[in-house]
Amino acid sequence: MSKEIVISVEPWETRVALLEEGQLVEIHYERPVTQRTVGSIYKGKVENVLPGMQAAFVNLGLERNAFLYVADVTRRDEEGEEIPVSPRRASIKDLLRPGQEVMVQVTKEAMGTKGARVTTHVTLPGRYLVLMPTVDYVGVSRRIADDRERDRLRKLAETLRPRGMGVIVRTVAEGHEEADLKADLELLTRLWGKIRARYRSGPGPRLLHKDLGLIFRVIRDAFAPDVDRLVIDSRADYERILELLDDISPDLKGRVQLLESRDRSLFDLYGLEAEIERGLRRRVWLKSGGYLVFDHTEALTVIDVNTGKFVGTTNLADTILKTNLEAAREIARQVRLRDIGGIIVVDFIDMDGERDRQRVLQALGEELKKDRTRCNVLGLTELGLVEMTRKKASMALDEVLQKPCPYCEGRGRVLSEESAAARFRREIKAILRRSEAEALLVETNPAVAALLIGVGGASLRELERQTGKTIYIRGSEDCHLEAMRILGQGKVEEVEARALPVRQGQVMEVTVEEPHVNNVWDGIARVDGYVVDVEGGGKLVGQKVKVEITRAHRTYARARVVS
């Protein structure tokens, strides 16, 4: 399988894309205004301890306090040295107290109103090894499949690791000798020594160690021998990458390529902008004509599979199987691209045969093996839904690039014009009941204003009859469908002067926007949302013309073209 890493560097944003077989499968962002905290180590101060939640909140000096669960706590002395905890299931109040200083590492970014998730079990990732200073354990990456190689690396790690500390052998260590692992471990143990010294040197809360920036994390964690090429468009970062590879993997330097272009961005050249946009859509079309629908809630993500336009060539069972197999592969890719975490439920199209169901589950599992983030497929529920989980450590793609709609507040739907008009009628009546004003001027979206006025002004006259007041309605394209603005209220003469932007006999220039709905001979222009019916203007659509106002009404004016 071919792999490429594409890095685009701009002053305001760095983007890293991972491609497999030419398809975008992962995208990562780094911006100066939203610096990543996962992996960073702090000297924190316990703000409060909650025995009922078996957790504590720790002040890291950030915007929100971090959350520390009892299972993530190791007891330490004032020098930062670990003290074994005898009770296996100790209470949080036995381990921590308000005001206590603790060394913690961020494992999950702050999201929404929630603070970061932290642990006292520190891990320091290197090129070939991950050092775990607080646990006595040796592990080998599950991605190393060869049993003999796993045994060899495990024995090397057992021999090299410092007493009382743990190490995990990373995938990239496969095939490397003792000298490479030893040099990596020496670097990590020196780093751990510096972190402990900083912990003892001053009070918290404060930062002790910050993880590498995005580009160098990618070099450390993802740029392995199975990556065919790394392309970057920044000369300065290109040279820094080569310097880093001199120390950690000189054999990979030949795979790094600088590609500078003034005409098009690197992501444009690779066609990635459209793929990122696709990763934000609710509906994703499959090549066969089927499609996926992604819906997110606080608790989980639901993915629905539909046949769409795909009708197959043989029989229904075959059509369903082909759609589900294609969907399984695309779901695995989209989950990685969107960086969806937590509980995921997939509603595949119903299949009658157990063999077909297993084929789809197997296809999904095989594709998910490519994901560097831990995934777990739990199988089919009694309702035929596939349940799976994926570790969530950072914000999903839509959380990085989007924010909730300020109008619909995340509902994804708005009121219909009829519903908005009905709501505004009630609001207008309520406003006028409480007001001594003789007249009221309101502004709404043109589609809603048309319904409030009605054919020939019938709806507006009825509203005035019910309220006993004079009401002016103005339409404006700038007004959201669900918004109504009160522009003025008071005496009729005062409100009318503000409501009517034109007067009889006035000569002015207007742009004819469209033909009249009921009389195509006339054209429609607008002045601050106020409709001007231009006689004979139907053939002048798109043109700017000089007109004279012949009559001015509350909801529209008549005008004739003058030379």
Side-chain angles (χ1 to χ4, degrees):
M1 178 174 63
S2 66
K3 285 186 180 181
E4 277 187 88
I5 295 173
V6 180
I7 304 177
S8 174
V9 181
E10 294 170 307
W12 53 87
E13 179 177 78
T14 297
R15 297 183 291 176
V16 175
L18 176 61
L19 280 64
E20 292 178 356
E21 301 294 344
Q23 276 199 311
L24 178 65
V25 293
E26 289 182 24
I27 178 76
H28 303 280
Y29 288 77
E30 185 176 72
R31 293 167 178 161
V33 293
T34 53
Q35 289 293 334
R36 166 189 160 105
T37 61
V38 168
S40 295
I41 300 171
Y42 291 83
K43 183 171 188 176
K45 190 173 184 180
V46 178
E47 289 290 322
N48 48 0
V49 177
L50 307 174
M53 294 177 63
Q54 282 288 69
F57 286 97
V58 182
N59 181 3
L60 306 182
L62 302 177
E63 185 178 347
R64 291 185 292 274
N65 289 338
F67 181 81
L68 176 59
Y69 185 59
V70 65
D72 297 320
V73 179
T74 301
R75 181 178 286 174
R76 295 177 181 276
D77 62 19
E78 293 180 354
E79 298 296 310
E81 298 293 339
E82 181 183 354
I83 302 173
V85 179
S86 51
R88 188 176 178 185
R89 303 182 69 178
S91 170
I92 189 74
K93 65 181 180 180
D94 298 327
L95 301 175
L96 298 171
R97 65 183 185 279
Q100 179 181 345
E101 292 183 327
V102 289
M103 183 192 297
V104 292
Q105 185 173 35
V106 178
T107 59
K108 189 175 179 181
E109 295 281 4
M111 298 180 196
T113 58
K114 298 178 182 177
R117 177 82 178 260
V118 295
T119 179
T120 62
H121 301 293
V122 173
T123 59
L124 297 174
R127 175 66 170 169
Y128 304 110
L129 302 171
V130 177
L131 178 65
M132 301 181 293
T134 63
V135 296
D136 191 357
Y137 168 80
V138 171
V140 179
S141 168
R142 291 175 296 176
R143 294 182 182 273
I144 300 176
D146 188 277
D147 289 336
R148 291 178 62 182
E149 179 65 2
R150 292 177 64 86
D151 289 340
R152 182 185 76 86
L153 292 170
R154 188 183 298 277
K155 289 174 183 176
L156 275 177
E158 286 281 9
T159 304
L160 295 172
R161 71 183 175 114
R163 187 176 178 182
M165 294 189 189
V167 294
I168 295 175
V169 181
R170 307 189 75 174
T171 308
V172 74
E174 187 172 8
H176 284 265
E177 300 302 322
E178 179 180 350
D180 295 326
L181 274 63
K182 185 177 180 180
D184 201 36
L185 189 58
E186 287 174 353
L187 182 67
L188 294 174
T189 50
R190 284 199 301 272
L191 175 60
W192 175 237
K194 291 178 182 177
I195 292 169
R196 287 171 59 197
R198 289 176 194 143
Y199 179 85
R200 295 190 291 265
S201 67
R206 60 194 178 91
L207 178 67
L208 302 177
H209 167 73
K210 185 173 179 59
D211 198 12
L212 296 173
L214 176 59
I215 293 176
F216 298 103
R217 285 201 312 275
V218 168
I219 300 300
R220 181 190 68 194
D221 299 339
F223 192 35
D226 64 339
V227 176
D228 301 297
R229 189 168 69 148
L230 184 149
V231 185
I232 187 167
D233 59 6
S234 164
R235 181 170 293 276
D237 288 299
Y238 166 75
E239 291 172 354
R240 281 196 285 267
I241 289 171
L242 294 182
E243 288 176 9
L244 178 62
L245 290 173
D246 264 333
D247 296 328
I248 62 173
S249 291
D251 52 313
L252 295 180
K253 288 177 64 177
R255 304 186 190 188
V256 181
Q257 179 180 344
L258 175 66
L259 185 58
E260 295 177 298
S261 173
R262 293 184 179 180
D263 301 328
R264 297 174 64 190
S265 73
L266 196 54
F267 273 42
D268 266 341
L269 290 170
Y270 274 80
L272 301 181
E273 302 290 3
E275 280 299 306
I276 295 170
E277 178 64 29
R278 193 165 173 250
L280 296 172
R281 293 177 190 163
R282 181 172 177 261
R283 178 177 293 189
V284 175
W285 286 96
L286 304 173
K287 290 181 180 178
S288 66
Y291 64 90
L292 311 175
V293 177
F294 290 78
D295 281 311
H296 304 279
T297 71
E298 286 286 335
L300 53 82
T301 298
V302 178
I303 305 172
D304 188 33
V305 182
N306 298 275
T307 52
K309 301 179 231 177
F310 182 50
V311 294
T313 55
T314 53
N315 56 56
L316 178 60
D318 181 65
T319 301
I320 290 172
L321 177 61
K322 285 182 178 178
T323 304
N324 281 340
L325 287 172
E326 185 185 6
R329 290 186 286 270
E330 184 63 19
I331 285 168
R333 187 175 80 91
Q334 288 290 328
V335 163
R336 292 175 67 187
L337 174 59
R338 296 168 186 243
D339 204 4
I340 299 172
I343 301 169
I344 303 169
V345 175
V346 184
D347 185 9
F348 284 104
I349 304 166
D350 288 340
M351 295 169 284
D352 294 330
E354 179 61 27
R355 184 179 176 183
D356 288 353
R357 287 194 287 269
Q358 290 306 315
R359 281 185 64 185
V360 171
L361 279 176
Q362 184 179 358
L364 180 63
E366 287 297 319
E367 288 297 314
L368 289 171
K369 286 180 182 177
K370 302 173 185 176
D371 194 346
R372 291 184 297 146
T373 301
R374 188 172 68 248
C375 300
N376 185 21
V377 179
L378 305 176
L380 281 162
T381 68
E382 292 181 2
L383 296 175
L385 306 173
V386 175
E387 290 183 330
M388 58 182 282
T389 61
R390 186 172 184 268
K391 184 180 178 183
K392 186 175 180 69
S394 58
M395 291 192 292
L397 181 65
D398 60 345
E399 294 172 307
V400 173
L401 298 181
Q402 298 176 321
K403 68 174 187 177
C405 172
Y407 299 110
C408 72
E409 297 179 342
R411 297 194 313 270
R413 301 175 73 87
V414 295
L415 291 176
S416 66
E417 291 85 347
E418 293 81 1
S419 299
R423 174 194 283 183
F424 296 155
R425 287 188 191 99
R426 290 191 291 269
E427 290 182 10
I428 289 169
K429 289 165 72 174
I431 291 168
L432 291 176
R433 275 198 301 269
R434 300 190 300 266
S435 173
E436 298 294 328
E438 297 175 358
L440 180 71
L441 170 61
V442 300
E443 185 176 71
T444 69
N445 184 275
V448 179
L451 291 174
L452 289 172
I453 295 169
V455 178
S459 297
L460 181 58
R461 285 196 297 273
E462 175 60 22
L463 189 58
E464 289 181 326
R465 187 191 65 78
Q466 293 175 5
T467 60
K469 305 290 178 72
T470 302
I471 302 170
Y472 295 87
I473 307 291
R474 179 189 292 179
S476 172
E477 294 288 352
D478 294 333
C479 214
H480 187 268
L481 195 66
E482 293 185 352
M484 181 181 75
R485 301 171 186 154
I486 306 298
L487 298 184
Q489 52 183 317
K491 293 185 177 296
V492 173
E493 297 79 11
E494 297 170 350
V495 176
E496 184 179 83
R498 186 169 183 183
L500 303 182
V502 301
R503 65 184 185 279
Q504 188 170 331
Q506 183 178 354
V507 177
M508 60 194 308
E509 277 194 344
V510 297
T511 299
V512 182
E513 299 176 4
E514 58 193 356
H516 194 289
V517 174
N518 299 320
N519 179 9
V520 293
W521 169 254
D522 288 354
I524 296 297
R526 289 182 177 85
V527 179
D528 295 331
Y530 179 78
V531 173
V532 178
D533 183 348
V534 181
E535 296 177 19
K539 58 185 178 182
L540 302 173
V541 173
Q543 298 182 36
K544 183 176 284 190
V545 295
K546 185 181 288 187
V547 299
E548 179 186 355
I549 305 299
T550 56
R551 294 185 66 183
H553 304 276
R554 277 194 292 152
T555 56
Y556 77 101
R558 297 276 293 172
R560 64 180 182 86
V561 178
V562 294
S563 55

